[in-house]
Amino acid sequence: MRTLAITQNVTLDGAVEFLGDWFDPTADGQDEVLAELHRQDAASDATLLGRRTFCDFRGFWPARTDDATGITDYLNQVDKYVVSSTLTDPEWENSTVLSGDPVTEVAALKERPGADIVCTGSITLCHTLIAAGLVDEIRLFHHPVVQGAGRRLFPDGWSTEHLPLLDSRTFGAVTYTAHALG
């Protein structure tokens, strides 16, 4: 069975929702963070997104011609799965709409042969997948920012006593941790 990993950027006060300008994936000075992302990309062959995040990505990444990060190239070639009950044509190469029940659709995707599936952004989808027990890893890039508001990674009422640490690294002011969830 494939690993489903959620990768998020998070503030020190636990917000994964971007309400300010504290995160810019195209900013200079992120070489070590980008190297970690590319390491994870090499172990993944699928990106899973909710409709809103997918539409945001589709509106930003595919047309970038000056992207020194490599993110555009990766996203244009990787298989993308968008969970949506309203979207019919994804309008982005290598994209598939999963229009059925998200839990059933993602469980079936995990059963297919392949490498890691990575979900990013997509807070509502992440809440659904965590609550359903489908997530195997949580990968967090902790930014030294206190936002004071914003949605959190874990759904309200969900708790666990221990998330085993799989990896931790520091990239300048950003701390990366990976935890087992499943």
Side-chain angles (χ1 to χ4, degrees):
M1 182 180 298
R2 298 163 80 176
T3 293
L4 174 57
I6 292 176
T7 299
Q8 296 285 17
N9 293 282
V10 60
T11 64
L12 291 180
D13 58 340
V16 294
E17 182 179 18
F18 301 136
L19 298 179
D21 60 357
W22 57 268
F23 173 73
D24 179 355
T26 64
D28 290 332
Q30 298 189 80
D31 294 344
E32 292 174 307
V33 171
L34 286 171
E36 175 58 26
L37 286 173
H38 294 314
R39 185 190 69 76
Q40 292 178 26
D41 291 346
S44 169
D45 65 359
T47 297
L48 177 66
L49 303 167
R51 181 192 51 80
R52 282 179 284 189
T53 301
F54 177 84
C55 289
D56 288 346
F57 276 33
R58 183 185 66 194
F60 182 79
W61 289 109
R64 291 188 58 88
T65 57
D66 60 344
D67 178 25
T69 68
I71 296 171
T72 296
D73 291 340
Y74 175 75
L75 287 174
N76 281 338
Q77 63 84 26
V78 72
D79 288 332
K80 292 166 289 298
Y81 296 89
V82 54
V83 173
S84 176
S85 61
T86 59
L87 190 66
T88 55
D89 182 357
E91 300 175 14
W92 192 2
E93 62 187 333
N94 303 318
S95 297
T96 301
V97 177
L98 303 177
S99 59
D101 172 67
V103 172
T104 302
E105 293 271 15
V106 174
L109 183 60
K110 286 183 67 171
E111 291 294 332
R112 295 182 196 163
D116 291 356
I117 305 163
V118 175
C119 182
T120 192
S122 311
I123 300 167
T124 301
L125 177 59
C126 288
H127 287 179
T128 299
L129 299 175
I130 290 168
L134 290 175
V135 178
D136 302 295
E137 289 182 27
I138 302 289
R139 301 169 181 169
L140 301 173
F141 290 88
H142 306 265
H143 294 261
V145 174
V146 175
Q147 187 167 265
R151 292 187 294 162
R152 308 293 189 244
L153 173 60
F154 295 99
D156 287 344
W158 190 91
S159 66
T160 186
E161 294 292 320
H162 183 66
L163 296 173
L165 183 66
L166 300 173
D167 192 9
S168 67
R169 302 168 194 217
T170 302
F171 309 117
V174 175
T175 301
Y176 167 75
T177 60
H179 302 270
L181 190 60

